Amino acid sequence: MKNGLQKAGKHSCQVAAISKRVGTHTLRHSFATHMLEHGINMRTLQGFMGHADVKTTEIHTHAMRRDLKRLTSPLDRIMEDHATQ
């Protein structure tokens, strides 16, 4: 039996024409990887994810893009957001 989040995820994948199987764990992992790529502190992410041990959080680093030139600092993102307003 699917919960509301699972149903919303399935519907979103159908609308976006994503044929690959995507579950709530995939969404959780993608969130953690995205946050790491954008410079979040590992301990802060650990709290967000509800991990008791930081080693569990460190698992998400394997999926990170390694091209550090493409990463932006939080200040750069704030300035870009401010410029578009």
Side-chain angles (χ1 to χ4, degrees):
M1 185 167 186
K2 292 183 183 256
N3 66 32
L5 181 59
Q6 290 170 320
K7 288 178 184 178
K10 182 175 181 174
H11 176 72
S12 297
C13 286
Q14 289 170 341
V15 170
I18 297 172
S19 59
K20 190 173 181 179
R21 186 172 179 216
V22 179
T24 53
H25 182 78
T26 306
L27 177 63
R28 185 175 160 82
H29 187 75
S30 296
F31 168 77
T33 302
H34 174 80
M35 296 300 286
L36 287 169
E37 287 177 345
H38 286 85
I40 193 170
N41 176 284
M42 185 71 68
R43 295 286 180 177
T44 302
L45 182 60
Q46 176 187 0
F48 284 165
M49 301 299 287
H51 295 153
D53 188 344
V54 75
K55 292 205 178 292
T56 305
T57 310
E58 289 172 351
I59 291 169
H60 298 287
T61 61
H62 82 276
M64 289 175 57
R65 286 180 286 150
R66 300 295 181 194
D67 186 1
L68 297 179
K69 292 177 186 175
R70 296 184 70 196
L71 300 182
T72 58
S73 74
L75 180 59
D76 289 338
R77 289 195 307 274
I78 290 169
M79 297 304 289
E80 288 171 4
D81 290 345
H82 182 67
T84 60
Q85 293 180 353

